[in-house]
Amino acid sequence: MELLPARYLEAMGDFLGQEEFENYKSSIREEHTRGLRLNPLKVPPWKQAAVLRTLFSEKQPKTVPWSLGEGYYYEKEKAPGKHPYYYAGLYYLQEPSAMAPAALLPIEPEERVLDLCAAPGGKSTALGARLKGAGLLVSNDVSVSRGKGLLKNLELFGLGNCLVTAEEPERLAACFPEFFDKILVDAPCSGEGMFRREPSMAEDWKMRGPEYYAPIQRELLFLASRMLKPGGMLLYSTCTFSEKEDEGAVAWLLKEVPDMEQPVLLADYGFVPGRDGASVRLYPWKLKGEGHFAAVFRKKKGLKEDGRLESGNFRGGKGKTDEEKQKKSNEIFLKRQEGFAAFRKRILAPLEERGFYWERNGELYLLPVSPKALPSLRYLRTGLHLGTVKRERFEPSQALALYLKKEEFSSSADFSLEDIRTVKYLKGETVTVDGALCSGEDGWCLVCVDGWPLGFAKRGGETLKNKYYPGWRWK
Ligand code: SAM
Protein backbone atom coordinates (compact mmCIF):
# COMPACT_ATOMS: atom_id res chain seq x y z
CA MET A 1 0.00 0.00 0.00
CA GLU A 2 2.88 2.35 0.91
CA LEU A 3 4.17 1.92 -2.63
CA LEU A 4 1.01 3.21 -4.25
CA PRO A 5 1.12 6.84 -5.43
CA ALA A 6 -0.77 9.22 -3.09
CA ARG A 7 -2.45 10.94 -6.04
CA TYR A 8 -3.74 7.56 -7.23
CA LEU A 9 -5.10 6.59 -3.80
CA GLU A 10 -6.83 9.92 -3.50
CA ALA A 11 -8.51 9.47 -6.90
CA MET A 12 -9.57 5.90 -6.00
CA GLY A 13 -11.05 7.10 -2.68
CA ASP A 14 -13.08 9.75 -4.51
CA PHE A 15 -14.23 7.30 -7.17
CA LEU A 16 -15.16 4.36 -4.93
CA GLY A 17 -16.50 6.09 -1.82
CA GLN A 18 -15.51 5.24 1.76
CA GLU A 19 -16.80 1.65 2.08
CA GLU A 20 -15.61 0.33 -1.27
CA PHE A 21 -12.28 2.10 -0.84
CA GLU A 22 -11.74 0.20 2.43
CA ASN A 23 -12.56 -3.04 0.59
CA TYR A 24 -10.07 -2.12 -2.11
CA LYS A 25 -7.34 -1.40 0.43
CA SER A 26 -7.86 -4.78 2.14
CA SER A 27 -7.79 -6.59 -1.21
CA ILE A 28 -4.47 -5.04 -2.18
CA ARG A 29 -2.84 -6.73 0.84
CA GLU A 30 -4.03 -10.17 -0.25
CA GLU A 31 -2.18 -12.58 -2.52
CA HIS A 32 -2.95 -12.14 -6.22
CA THR A 33 -4.74 -14.89 -8.14
CA ARG A 34 -3.22 -17.26 -10.70
CA GLY A 35 -4.90 -19.07 -13.54
CA LEU A 36 -4.42 -21.20 -16.62
CA ARG A 37 -6.68 -21.58 -19.63
CA LEU A 38 -6.83 -24.93 -21.36
CA ASN A 39 -6.46 -25.01 -25.13
CA PRO A 40 -9.74 -26.37 -26.56
CA LEU A 41 -7.99 -27.17 -29.86
CA LYS A 42 -5.86 -29.74 -28.03
CA VAL A 43 -7.83 -30.55 -24.89
CA PRO A 44 -11.50 -31.26 -25.66
CA PRO A 45 -13.92 -31.09 -22.71
CA TRP A 46 -13.79 -34.86 -22.13
CA LYS A 47 -9.99 -34.76 -21.66
CA GLN A 48 -9.95 -31.74 -19.32
CA ALA A 49 -10.33 -33.68 -16.06
CA ALA A 50 -7.47 -36.05 -16.93
CA VAL A 51 -5.12 -33.18 -17.83
CA LEU A 52 -5.99 -31.26 -14.66
CA ARG A 53 -5.50 -34.38 -12.54
CA THR A 54 -2.06 -34.85 -14.06
CA LEU A 55 -1.12 -31.22 -13.44
CA PHE A 56 -2.59 -30.79 -9.96
CA SER A 57 -2.64 -34.39 -8.69
CA GLU A 58 -4.62 -33.99 -5.46
CA LYS A 59 -7.87 -32.21 -6.28
CA GLN A 60 -9.67 -30.70 -9.24
CA PRO A 61 -8.90 -26.95 -9.31
CA LYS A 62 -11.78 -24.45 -9.29
CA THR A 63 -13.10 -23.16 -12.62
CA VAL A 64 -12.82 -19.46 -13.42
CA PRO A 65 -16.58 -18.76 -13.72
CA TRP A 66 -16.42 -16.39 -16.72
CA SER A 67 -13.90 -18.41 -18.76
CA LEU A 68 -16.33 -20.47 -20.90
CA GLY A 69 -15.23 -23.56 -19.01
CA GLU A 70 -11.59 -23.26 -20.09
CA GLY A 71 -9.98 -21.42 -17.17
CA TYR A 72 -8.86 -22.78 -13.79
CA TYR A 73 -7.28 -21.28 -10.69
CA TYR A 74 -4.03 -22.69 -9.39
CA GLU A 75 -2.07 -22.11 -6.23
CA LYS A 76 1.16 -20.18 -5.86
CA GLU A 77 3.34 -23.24 -5.17
CA LYS A 78 2.39 -24.93 -8.45
CA ALA A 79 4.56 -24.24 -11.48
CA PRO A 80 2.58 -25.29 -14.55
CA GLY A 81 4.91 -23.25 -16.79
CA LYS A 82 7.67 -25.83 -16.24
CA HIS A 83 5.79 -28.88 -17.46
CA PRO A 84 5.94 -30.89 -20.72
CA TYR A 85 2.20 -30.25 -21.21
CA TYR A 86 2.97 -26.54 -21.34
CA TYR A 87 5.51 -27.27 -24.08
CA ALA A 88 2.80 -29.21 -25.91
CA GLY A 89 0.59 -26.07 -25.89
CA LEU A 90 -2.14 -27.60 -23.75
CA TYR A 91 -2.73 -24.36 -21.84
CA TYR A 92 -1.85 -20.70 -21.47
CA LEU A 93 -1.01 -19.15 -18.11
CA GLN A 94 -3.35 -16.22 -17.68
CA GLU A 95 -4.48 -14.04 -14.83
CA PRO A 96 -8.17 -15.04 -14.26
CA SER A 97 -9.76 -11.60 -14.87
CA ALA A 98 -7.78 -11.33 -18.12
CA MET A 99 -9.83 -14.31 -19.38
CA ALA A 100 -12.98 -12.14 -19.42
CA PRO A 101 -12.52 -9.91 -22.51
CA ALA A 102 -12.07 -12.72 -25.05
CA ALA A 103 -14.90 -14.69 -23.41
CA LEU A 104 -17.23 -11.67 -23.68
CA LEU A 105 -16.65 -11.31 -27.43
CA PRO A 106 -18.70 -13.93 -29.30
CA ILE A 107 -16.61 -15.58 -32.02
CA GLU A 108 -17.85 -17.97 -34.70
CA PRO A 109 -15.70 -20.11 -37.03
CA GLU A 110 -15.19 -18.48 -40.47
CA GLU A 111 -15.19 -14.95 -39.03
CA ARG A 112 -12.49 -12.35 -39.53
CA VAL A 113 -11.14 -11.28 -36.16
CA LEU A 114 -8.63 -8.57 -35.27
CA ASP A 115 -6.75 -8.39 -31.99
CA LEU A 116 -5.26 -4.91 -32.23
CA CYS A 117 -3.02 -4.88 -29.12
CA ALA A 118 -2.28 -8.57 -28.86
CA ALA A 119 1.10 -9.26 -27.22
CA PRO A 120 1.90 -11.52 -25.45
CA GLY A 121 -1.18 -13.30 -26.80
CA GLY A 122 -3.35 -14.26 -23.83
CA LYS A 123 -6.50 -13.10 -25.55
CA SER A 124 -5.41 -13.90 -29.11
CA THR A 125 -4.89 -17.56 -28.20
CA ALA A 126 -8.46 -17.67 -26.84
CA LEU A 127 -9.99 -15.85 -29.84
CA GLY A 128 -8.00 -17.92 -32.34
CA ALA A 129 -8.99 -21.22 -30.75
CA ARG A 130 -12.66 -20.28 -31.04
CA LEU A 131 -12.28 -19.87 -34.81
CA LYS A 132 -11.59 -23.64 -34.87
CA GLY A 133 -9.19 -23.30 -37.77
CA ALA A 134 -11.71 -21.56 -40.07
CA GLY A 135 -11.65 -17.84 -40.85
CA LEU A 136 -8.88 -15.38 -40.09
CA LEU A 137 -7.22 -13.93 -37.01
CA VAL A 138 -5.07 -10.84 -37.47
CA SER A 139 -3.02 -10.55 -34.33
CA ASN A 140 -1.19 -7.25 -34.08
CA ASP A 141 1.06 -5.47 -31.64
CA VAL A 142 2.92 -2.28 -32.42
CA SER A 143 6.01 -3.62 -30.62
CA VAL A 144 8.16 -6.04 -32.63
CA SER A 145 9.91 -7.40 -29.53
CA ARG A 146 6.61 -8.13 -27.75
CA GLY A 147 5.26 -9.46 -31.04
CA LYS A 148 7.87 -12.24 -31.00
CA GLY A 149 6.49 -13.56 -27.70
CA LEU A 150 3.01 -13.31 -29.18
CA LEU A 151 4.05 -15.39 -32.18
CA LYS A 152 5.52 -18.11 -29.97
CA ASN A 153 2.30 -18.34 -27.96
CA LEU A 154 0.14 -18.58 -31.08
CA GLU A 155 2.40 -21.30 -32.47
CA LEU A 156 2.38 -23.23 -29.19
CA PHE A 157 -1.42 -23.12 -29.27
CA GLY A 158 -1.34 -24.69 -32.75
CA LEU A 159 -3.04 -21.78 -34.52
CA GLY A 160 -2.44 -21.66 -38.26
CA ASN A 161 -5.04 -19.26 -39.66
CA CYS A 162 -3.39 -16.09 -38.37
CA LEU A 163 -1.52 -13.13 -39.73
CA VAL A 164 0.79 -11.77 -37.05
CA THR A 165 1.72 -8.15 -37.63
CA ALA A 166 3.76 -5.50 -35.85
CA GLU A 167 2.03 -2.46 -37.24
CA GLU A 168 0.88 1.00 -36.39
CA PRO A 169 -2.94 0.78 -36.20
CA GLU A 170 -3.24 3.57 -38.80
CA ARG A 171 -1.60 1.30 -41.36
CA LEU A 172 -4.00 -1.53 -40.54
CA ALA A 173 -6.98 0.83 -40.77
CA ALA A 174 -5.85 1.89 -44.24
CA CYS A 175 -5.65 -1.76 -45.38
CA PHE A 176 -8.76 -3.15 -43.73
CA PRO A 177 -11.67 -0.69 -43.96
CA GLU A 178 -14.89 -2.26 -42.60
CA PHE A 179 -13.29 -5.66 -42.87
CA PHE A 180 -13.53 -7.45 -39.52
CA ASP A 181 -16.52 -9.18 -37.90
CA LYS A 182 -15.00 -8.89 -34.44
CA ILE A 183 -12.27 -6.70 -32.98
CA LEU A 184 -10.61 -6.74 -29.59
CA VAL A 185 -8.89 -3.61 -28.32
CA ASP A 186 -7.18 -4.73 -25.13
CA ALA A 187 -5.65 -1.33 -24.78
CA PRO A 188 -2.37 -0.22 -23.24
CA CYS A 189 -3.44 1.41 -19.97
CA SER A 190 -2.27 2.80 -16.63
CA GLY A 191 -2.52 -0.73 -15.16
CA GLU A 192 -4.14 0.19 -11.84
CA GLY A 193 -5.88 -3.19 -11.66
CA MET A 194 -2.51 -4.96 -11.72
CA PHE A 195 -0.75 -3.12 -8.87
CA ARG A 196 -1.23 -6.11 -6.53
CA ARG A 197 0.26 -8.53 -9.04
CA GLU A 198 2.98 -6.30 -10.46
CA PRO A 199 3.91 -3.58 -7.97
CA SER A 200 6.39 -2.10 -10.48
CA MET A 201 3.37 -0.88 -12.46
CA ALA A 202 2.62 1.55 -9.65
CA GLU A 203 6.03 3.12 -10.30
CA ASP A 204 5.25 3.37 -14.02
CA TRP A 205 1.93 5.04 -13.17
CA LYS A 206 3.82 8.03 -11.72
CA MET A 207 5.42 8.62 -15.13
CA ARG A 208 2.55 7.49 -17.33
CA GLY A 209 -0.88 7.58 -15.72
CA PRO A 210 -4.44 7.88 -17.04
CA GLU A 211 -3.71 11.28 -18.65
CA TYR A 212 -1.08 9.60 -20.81
CA TYR A 213 -3.11 6.55 -21.83
CA ALA A 214 -6.60 8.05 -22.26
CA PRO A 215 -5.87 9.76 -25.63
CA ILE A 216 -3.99 6.69 -26.93
CA GLN A 217 -6.98 4.47 -26.17
CA ARG A 218 -9.38 6.86 -27.88
CA GLU A 219 -7.30 6.84 -31.02
CA LEU A 220 -7.09 3.02 -30.99
CA LEU A 221 -10.85 2.73 -30.55
CA PHE A 222 -11.49 5.21 -33.34
CA LEU A 223 -9.23 3.33 -35.77
CA ALA A 224 -10.74 -0.01 -34.70
CA SER A 225 -14.24 1.33 -35.39
CA ARG A 226 -13.16 2.07 -38.96
CA MET A 227 -12.04 -1.53 -39.45
CA LEU A 228 -15.30 -3.00 -38.15
CA LYS A 229 -17.97 -4.29 -40.53
CA PRO A 230 -21.49 -2.98 -40.13
CA GLY A 231 -23.10 -5.29 -37.58
CA GLY A 232 -19.64 -6.25 -36.26
CA MET A 233 -18.65 -6.13 -32.59
CA LEU A 234 -15.76 -4.44 -30.87
CA LEU A 235 -14.67 -5.30 -27.35
CA TYR A 236 -12.67 -2.69 -25.46
CA SER A 237 -10.86 -3.77 -22.31
CA THR A 238 -8.26 -2.46 -19.90
CA CYS A 239 -6.72 -3.58 -16.63
CA THR A 240 -7.23 -0.22 -14.96
CA PHE A 241 -9.83 1.42 -12.73
CA SER A 242 -9.46 4.96 -14.04
CA GLU A 243 -12.74 6.43 -15.29
CA LYS A 244 -10.74 8.82 -17.43
CA GLU A 245 -9.69 5.79 -19.45
CA ASP A 246 -12.51 3.16 -19.17
CA GLU A 247 -15.95 4.84 -19.23
CA GLY A 248 -14.29 8.04 -20.48
CA ALA A 249 -13.08 6.28 -23.63
CA VAL A 250 -16.47 4.62 -24.15
CA ALA A 251 -18.37 7.92 -23.91
CA TRP A 252 -15.87 9.56 -26.23
CA LEU A 253 -16.23 6.89 -28.93
CA LEU A 254 -20.04 6.92 -28.77
CA LYS A 255 -19.96 10.69 -29.25
CA GLU A 256 -17.32 10.77 -31.99
CA VAL A 257 -18.53 7.78 -33.99
CA PRO A 258 -22.32 7.84 -34.07
CA ASP A 259 -22.35 4.53 -35.98
CA MET A 260 -21.30 2.78 -32.79
CA GLU A 261 -23.80 1.67 -30.18
CA GLN A 262 -23.12 0.06 -26.82
CA PRO A 263 -24.99 -3.16 -25.99
CA VAL A 264 -25.24 -3.90 -22.27
CA LEU A 265 -22.81 -6.44 -20.81
CA LEU A 266 -24.46 -8.43 -18.04
CA ALA A 267 -22.87 -7.97 -14.63
CA ASP A 268 -22.70 -11.71 -13.92
CA TYR A 269 -20.11 -13.66 -11.88
CA GLY A 270 -19.56 -10.81 -9.43
CA PHE A 271 -18.79 -8.25 -12.16
CA VAL A 272 -19.97 -4.74 -11.25
CA PRO A 273 -21.80 -2.52 -13.77
CA GLY A 274 -19.59 0.30 -15.03
CA ARG A 275 -20.64 3.90 -14.39
CA ASP A 276 -22.37 3.98 -17.81
CA GLY A 277 -24.54 1.00 -16.83
CA ALA A 278 -23.51 -0.98 -19.92
CA SER A 279 -19.83 -1.80 -19.33
CA VAL A 280 -18.49 -4.07 -16.58
CA ARG A 281 -15.83 -3.66 -13.93
CA LEU A 282 -14.00 -6.57 -12.32
CA TYR A 283 -13.02 -5.72 -8.76
CA PRO A 284 -10.59 -7.96 -6.84
CA TRP A 285 -12.69 -7.63 -3.69
CA LYS A 286 -15.83 -8.87 -5.47
CA LEU A 287 -14.37 -11.86 -7.32
CA LYS A 288 -11.24 -14.02 -7.55
CA GLY A 289 -9.16 -12.04 -10.05
CA GLU A 290 -7.36 -8.75 -10.58
CA GLY A 291 -8.88 -5.43 -11.71
CA HIS A 292 -10.33 -5.21 -15.22
CA PHE A 293 -12.79 -3.24 -17.31
CA ALA A 294 -14.73 -4.29 -20.44
CA ALA A 295 -17.23 -2.65 -22.76
CA VAL A 296 -18.70 -3.87 -26.02
CA PHE A 297 -19.76 -1.87 -29.10
CA ARG A 298 -21.73 -2.81 -32.16
CA LYS A 299 -21.51 -0.97 -35.47
CA LYS A 300 -24.89 0.14 -36.74
CA LYS A 301 -24.22 1.00 -40.36
CA GLY A 302 -21.34 1.21 -42.83
CA LEU A 303 -18.66 3.83 -43.19
CA LYS A 304 -16.89 4.38 -46.50
CA GLU A 305 -16.04 1.11 -48.19
CA ASP A 306 -13.29 1.98 -50.66
CA GLY A 307 -10.20 -0.21 -50.51
CA ARG A 308 -12.10 -3.17 -49.05
CA LEU A 309 -10.38 -6.46 -49.75
CA GLU A 310 -12.28 -8.92 -51.89
CA SER A 311 -14.11 -11.25 -49.54
CA GLY A 312 -13.58 -14.04 -52.10
CA ASN A 313 -9.86 -13.96 -51.31
CA PHE A 314 -10.56 -15.34 -47.89
CA ARG A 315 -11.54 -18.80 -46.85
CA GLY A 316 -14.51 -17.53 -44.89
CA GLY A 317 -17.55 -17.56 -47.19
CA LYS A 318 -15.64 -18.32 -50.37
CA GLY A 319 -17.56 -19.67 -53.34
CA LYS A 320 -16.86 -22.57 -55.68
CA THR A 321 -14.59 -20.56 -58.00
CA ASP A 322 -12.40 -19.60 -55.05
CA GLU A 323 -12.07 -23.21 -53.99
CA GLU A 324 -11.02 -24.05 -57.53
CA LYS A 325 -8.44 -21.25 -57.45
CA GLN A 326 -7.04 -22.56 -54.17
CA LYS A 327 -6.85 -26.10 -55.55
CA LYS A 328 -5.12 -24.99 -58.74
CA SER A 329 -2.67 -22.75 -56.91
CA ASN A 330 -1.80 -25.58 -54.46
CA GLU A 331 -1.28 -28.08 -57.28
CA ILE A 332 1.18 -25.73 -59.01
CA PHE A 333 2.98 -25.19 -55.70
CA LEU A 334 3.39 -28.91 -55.02
CA LYS A 335 4.87 -29.44 -58.49
CA ARG A 336 7.45 -26.71 -57.86
CA GLN A 337 8.27 -27.74 -54.28
CA GLU A 338 9.29 -31.35 -54.75
CA GLY A 339 11.00 -31.61 -51.36
CA PHE A 340 7.86 -30.47 -49.61
CA ALA A 341 5.63 -32.60 -51.87
CA ALA A 342 7.56 -35.70 -50.73
CA PHE A 343 7.29 -34.69 -47.08
CA ARG A 344 3.63 -33.77 -47.62
CA LYS A 345 2.78 -37.45 -48.17
CA ARG A 346 3.49 -38.03 -44.48
CA ILE A 347 0.92 -35.44 -43.41
CA LEU A 348 -2.40 -37.20 -43.29
CA ALA A 349 -4.41 -34.01 -42.67
CA PRO A 350 -6.13 -32.32 -45.64
CA LEU A 351 -3.89 -29.23 -45.64
CA GLU A 352 -4.82 -28.30 -49.22
CA GLU A 353 -8.38 -27.67 -48.11
CA ARG A 354 -7.29 -25.41 -45.28
CA GLY A 355 -5.49 -22.69 -47.22
CA PHE A 356 -3.06 -21.60 -49.90
CA TYR A 357 0.51 -22.90 -50.03
CA TRP A 358 3.02 -20.09 -50.43
CA GLU A 359 6.79 -19.77 -50.67
CA ARG A 360 8.89 -16.78 -49.71
CA ASN A 361 12.71 -16.79 -49.58
CA GLY A 362 12.77 -20.56 -49.10
CA GLU A 363 10.22 -20.48 -46.27
CA LEU A 364 6.95 -22.31 -46.92
CA TYR A 365 3.60 -21.33 -45.46
CA LEU A 366 -0.04 -22.33 -45.53
CA LEU A 367 -1.94 -19.05 -45.81
CA PRO A 368 -5.51 -18.51 -44.63
CA VAL A 369 -5.85 -15.99 -47.48
CA SER A 370 -4.79 -15.94 -51.10
CA PRO A 371 -1.16 -14.70 -51.36
CA LYS A 372 -2.45 -12.08 -53.80
CA ALA A 373 -4.71 -10.68 -51.10
CA LEU A 374 -1.93 -10.09 -48.56
CA PRO A 375 -1.67 -6.36 -47.96
CA SER A 376 1.82 -4.92 -47.63
CA LEU A 377 2.41 -4.87 -43.87
CA ARG A 378 5.15 -5.61 -41.35
CA TYR A 379 4.47 -9.33 -40.81
CA LEU A 380 5.96 -11.45 -38.09
CA ARG A 381 4.13 -14.45 -39.52
CA THR A 382 1.90 -15.15 -42.49
CA GLY A 383 -0.29 -18.15 -41.72
CA LEU A 384 1.13 -21.49 -40.66
CA HIS A 385 4.89 -21.76 -41.13
CA LEU A 386 5.35 -25.18 -42.71
CA GLY A 387 9.12 -25.21 -42.82
CA THR A 388 12.24 -24.36 -44.79
CA VAL A 389 13.59 -25.58 -48.12
CA LYS A 390 17.25 -26.55 -47.70
CA ARG A 391 19.01 -27.57 -50.93
CA GLU A 392 15.88 -29.16 -52.43
CA ARG A 393 15.14 -30.89 -49.14
CA PHE A 394 12.40 -29.75 -46.78
CA GLU A 395 12.79 -29.24 -43.00
CA PRO A 396 9.46 -29.00 -41.17
CA SER A 397 8.98 -26.19 -38.65
CA GLN A 398 8.31 -26.28 -34.93
CA ALA A 399 4.98 -24.53 -35.62
CA LEU A 400 3.88 -27.38 -37.91
CA ALA A 401 4.59 -29.95 -35.20
CA LEU A 402 2.42 -28.04 -32.72
CA TYR A 403 -0.31 -27.53 -35.32
CA LEU A 404 -0.63 -31.21 -36.21
CA LYS A 405 -2.34 -33.87 -34.17
CA LYS A 406 -0.42 -37.11 -33.62
CA GLU A 407 -2.75 -39.05 -35.90
CA GLU A 408 -2.29 -36.48 -38.66
CA PHE A 409 1.34 -37.49 -39.24
CA SER A 410 2.39 -40.89 -40.52
CA SER A 411 5.32 -41.42 -38.14
CA SER A 412 5.41 -40.73 -34.41
CA ALA A 413 7.21 -41.62 -31.18
CA ASP A 414 5.08 -41.19 -28.10
CA PHE A 415 6.68 -40.89 -24.65
CA SER A 416 4.80 -40.87 -21.38
CA LEU A 417 5.07 -37.92 -19.03
CA GLU A 418 7.06 -39.99 -16.52
CA ASP A 419 9.59 -41.09 -19.16
CA ILE A 420 12.81 -39.09 -18.65
CA ARG A 421 13.27 -39.04 -22.43
CA THR A 422 10.39 -36.52 -22.66
CA VAL A 423 12.40 -33.80 -20.93
CA LYS A 424 15.63 -34.98 -22.59
CA TYR A 425 13.97 -34.44 -25.95
CA LEU A 426 12.77 -30.97 -24.90
CA LYS A 427 16.35 -30.18 -23.84
CA GLY A 428 17.56 -30.94 -27.36
CA GLU A 429 19.22 -34.30 -26.59
CA THR A 430 19.32 -37.36 -28.83
CA VAL A 431 17.04 -40.10 -27.46
CA THR A 432 16.20 -43.67 -28.38
CA VAL A 433 12.73 -45.01 -29.09
CA ASP A 434 13.27 -48.36 -27.41
CA GLY A 435 10.02 -49.15 -25.57
CA ALA A 436 8.22 -45.94 -26.66
CA LEU A 437 4.95 -46.16 -28.59
CA CYS A 438 6.08 -45.80 -32.20
CA SER A 439 4.39 -45.80 -35.56
CA GLY A 440 5.51 -45.36 -39.16
CA GLU A 441 8.77 -45.54 -41.01
CA ASP A 442 12.23 -43.96 -40.54
CA GLY A 443 12.80 -40.29 -41.38
CA TRP A 444 10.77 -37.35 -40.05
CA CYS A 445 8.93 -38.35 -36.92
CA LEU A 446 6.55 -36.43 -34.66
CA VAL A 447 7.70 -36.69 -31.04
CA CYS A 448 4.81 -36.63 -28.55
CA VAL A 449 4.10 -36.68 -24.84
CA ASP A 450 1.02 -38.72 -23.90
CA GLY A 451 -0.19 -38.33 -27.50
CA TRP A 452 0.36 -34.54 -27.81
CA PRO A 453 3.03 -33.40 -30.30
CA LEU A 454 6.08 -31.57 -28.96
CA GLY A 455 8.28 -31.32 -32.06
CA PHE A 456 10.04 -33.22 -34.82
CA ALA A 457 12.96 -35.62 -34.84
CA LYS A 458 14.62 -37.70 -37.54
CA ARG A 459 14.32 -41.37 -36.80
CA GLY A 460 16.97 -43.83 -37.92
CA GLY A 461 16.33 -47.30 -36.42
CA GLU A 462 16.07 -46.80 -32.66
CA THR A 463 17.64 -43.35 -32.59
CA LEU A 464 15.84 -40.01 -32.71
CA LYS A 465 18.03 -37.20 -33.99
CA ASN A 466 16.68 -34.17 -32.18
CA LYS A 467 15.08 -31.43 -34.29
CA TYR A 468 13.36 -29.55 -31.46
CA TYR A 469 13.55 -25.80 -32.11
CA PRO A 470 16.65 -24.62 -30.13
CA GLY A 471 15.02 -21.31 -29.13
CA TRP A 472 12.24 -23.16 -27.26
CA ARG A 473 14.37 -25.67 -25.38
CA TRP A 474 13.68 -26.68 -21.79
CA LYS A 475 16.23 -24.97 -19.54
N1 SAM B 1 -3.98 -8.45 -25.17
C1 SAM B 1 -2.71 -8.83 -24.58
C2 SAM B 1 -2.85 -10.18 -23.93
O1 SAM B 1 -3.96 -10.59 -23.59
O2 SAM B 1 -1.82 -10.87 -23.78
C3 SAM B 1 -2.20 -7.76 -23.63
C4 SAM B 1 -2.11 -6.43 -24.28
S1 SAM B 1 -1.35 -5.19 -23.31
C5 SAM B 1 -2.60 -4.77 -22.21
C6 SAM B 1 -1.32 -3.85 -24.40
C7 SAM B 1 -0.44 -4.02 -25.61
O3 SAM B 1 -0.66 -2.91 -26.45
C8 SAM B 1 1.05 -4.04 -25.35
O4 SAM B 1 1.59 -5.28 -25.79
C9 SAM B 1 1.62 -2.91 -26.18
O5 SAM B 1 2.85 -3.23 -26.83
C10 SAM B 1 0.52 -2.69 -27.19
N2 SAM B 1 0.41 -1.33 -27.75
C11 SAM B 1 0.76 -0.15 -27.20
N3 SAM B 1 0.49 0.86 -28.04
C12 SAM B 1 -0.05 0.29 -29.16
C13 SAM B 1 -0.52 0.79 -30.39
N4 SAM B 1 -0.50 2.08 -30.65
N5 SAM B 1 -0.97 -0.10 -31.29
C14 SAM B 1 -1.00 -1.43 -31.05
N6 SAM B 1 -0.56 -1.95 -29.89
C15 SAM B 1 -0.10 -1.11 -28.96
Side-chain angles (χ1 to χ4, degrees):
M1 182 68 67
E2 310 69 56
L3 296 172
L4 299 184
R7 194 159 61 83
Y8 161 69
L9 286 174
E10 199 182 314
M12 276 297 270
D14 289 346
F15 179 72
L16 291 173
Q18 182 67 25
E19 194 184 330
E20 285 291 69
F21 188 49
E22 290 305 319
N23 291 336
Y24 168 66
K25 286 194 288 187
S26 327
S27 74
I28 207 102
R29 291 187 198 97
E30 287 166 15
E31 184 62 38
H32 70 84
T33 48
R34 294 168 174 79
L36 62 77
R37 218 188 57 250
L38 293 172
N39 179 354
L41 296 176
K42 301 190 187 225
V43 188
W46 60 91
K47 283 195 182 166
Q48 282 199 1
V51 168
L52 293 168
R53 215 174 308 116
T54 309
L55 289 174
F56 303 113
S57 42
E58 57 310 345
K59 61 176 192 267
Q60 175 91 357
K62 287 216 161 61
T63 319
V64 177
W66 50 87
S67 69
L68 306 176
E70 292 167 7
Y72 292 86
Y73 293 99
Y74 68 88
E75 301 305 321
K76 190 179 173 188
E77 44 295 336
K78 302 284 174 192
K82 194 86 195 232
H83 194 287
Y85 282 5
Y86 179 78
Y87 286 71
L90 300 199
Y91 49 86
Y92 184 91
L93 300 183
Q94 189 173 38
E95 187 282 299
S97 292
M99 296 177 192
L104 290 170
L105 187 59
I107 303 288
E108 297 295 332
E110 302 282 352
E111 286 186 332
R112 299 163 179 178
V113 180
L114 169 67
D115 188 357
L116 189 57
C117 311
K123 292 155 196 112
S124 263
T125 49
L127 298 172
R130 285 182 15 233
L131 283 173
K132 300 192 175 132
L136 174 73
L137 172 69
V138 176
S139 206
N140 177 71
D141 200 282
V142 75
S143 152
V144 175
S145 57
R146 287 176 59 82
K148 288 185 180 153
L150 163 68
L151 175 60
K152 177 179 176 184
N153 285 323
L154 295 174
E155 291 187 338
L156 264 174
F157 242 56
L159 296 173
N161 52 332
C162 325
L163 301 176
V164 186
T165 56
E167 269 301 350
E168 293 290 346
E170 291 91 331
R171 293 250 322 132
L172 294 178
C175 290
F176 296 112
E178 300 210 320
F179 181 77
F180 293 100
D181 299 288
K182 305 285 160 61
I183 300 182
L184 177 66
V185 178
D186 187 38
C189 69
S190 57
E192 296 168 357
M194 291 293 143
F195 288 174
R196 176 169 81 170
R197 183 165 175 254
E198 288 175 43
S200 67
M201 291 182 88
E203 270 308 299
D204 297 343
W205 188 97
K206 292 181 194 158
M207 312 289 288
R208 293 176 168 187
E211 297 75 15
Y212 176 83
Y213 286 104
I216 295 176
Q217 294 172 1
R218 291 167 195 206
E219 191 184 347
L220 290 170
L221 285 173
F222 179 75
L223 292 168
S225 75
R226 286 178 45 196
M227 291 187 263
L228 196 63
K229 270 186 192 169
M233 286 174 99
L234 188 164
L235 195 295
Y236 161 60
S237 57
T238 71
C239 58
T240 203
F241 299 122
S242 160
E243 203 182 359
K244 217 174 252 154
E245 297 169 70
D246 302 347
E247 286 94 339
V250 172
W252 181 87
L253 188 72
L254 292 172
K255 183 162 158 277
E256 292 299 315
V257 186
D259 284 354
M260 302 297 274
E261 58 187 4
Q262 189 190 14
V264 176
L265 284 175
L266 287 181
D268 286 337
Y269 317 114
F271 296 176
V272 171
R275 293 285 154 106
D276 50 29
S279 54
V280 289
R281 290 176 157 260
L282 279 66
Y283 285 148
W285 59 98
K286 300 269 189 201
L287 45 74
K288 263 187 87 181
E290 305 310 296
H292 248 79
F293 172 86
V296 71
F297 301 95
R298 188 184 297 114
K299 192 175 204 168
K300 289 188 265 185
K301 57 182 192 320
L303 296 174
K304 260 177 85 193
E305 292 202 8
D306 51 332
R308 179 201 278 262
L309 287 169
E310 284 277 296
S311 61
N313 288 327
F314 289 78
R315 293 178 61 238
K318 67 171 190 253
K320 256 232 152 340
T321 23
D322 306 300
E323 270 173 31
E324 299 278 296
K325 268 189 215 157
Q326 183 174 312
K327 210 167 150 206
K328 192 115 215 112
S329 149
N330 285 345
E331 276 168 16
I332 296 170
F333 177 93
L334 287 172
K335 276 198 193 117
R336 284 201 195 126
Q337 298 290 342
E338 284 176 24
F340 175 70
F343 175 87
R344 165 71 191 87
K345 294 192 181 121
R346 293 182 160 227
I347 304 177
L348 311 173
L351 287 191
E352 282 83 5
E353 291 167 21
R354 300 183 190 178
F356 292 79
Y357 288 130
W358 189 53
E359 187 266 344
R360 192 161 178 257
N361 301 329
E363 302 298 333
L364 307 191
Y365 302 90
L366 185 73
L367 297 182
V369 302
S370 157
K372 289 182 192 133
L374 277 184
S376 164
L377 290 169
R378 183 157 56 171
Y379 291 103
L380 300 181
R381 181 65 84 235
T382 45
L384 172 66
H385 184 217
L386 296 165
T388 309
V389 178
K390 288 193 174 157
R391 287 195 223 97
E392 304 304 310
R393 283 204 317 279
F394 173 75
E395 288 232 348
S397 73
Q398 185 62 39
L400 179 62
L402 272 291
Y403 172 82
L404 292 171
K405 299 197 165 41
K406 180 182 148 188
E407 59 280 9
E408 291 179 332
F409 199 70
S410 66
S411 171
S412 63
D414 195 1
F415 296 106
S416 71
L417 192 57
E418 297 72 34
D419 195 318
I420 53 165
R421 290 173 294 183
T422 301
V423 172
K424 280 185 173 224
Y425 170 74
L426 289 170
K427 285 182 170 172
E429 295 174 24
T430 299
V431 291
T432 60
V433 288
D434 177 28
L437 281 174
C438 280
S439 71
E441 65 278 47
D442 272 1
W444 287 108
C445 167
L446 200 52
V447 181
C448 305
V449 57
D450 290 345
W452 282 288
L454 292 170
F456 282 108
K458 262 201 152 168
R459 191 161 91 203
E462 295 217 322
T463 306
L464 289 182
K465 194 170 164 207
N466 201 308
K467 294 286 178 179
Y468 190 68
Y469 177 57
W472 288 16
R473 277 182 195 158
W474 180 291
K475 290 192 184 95

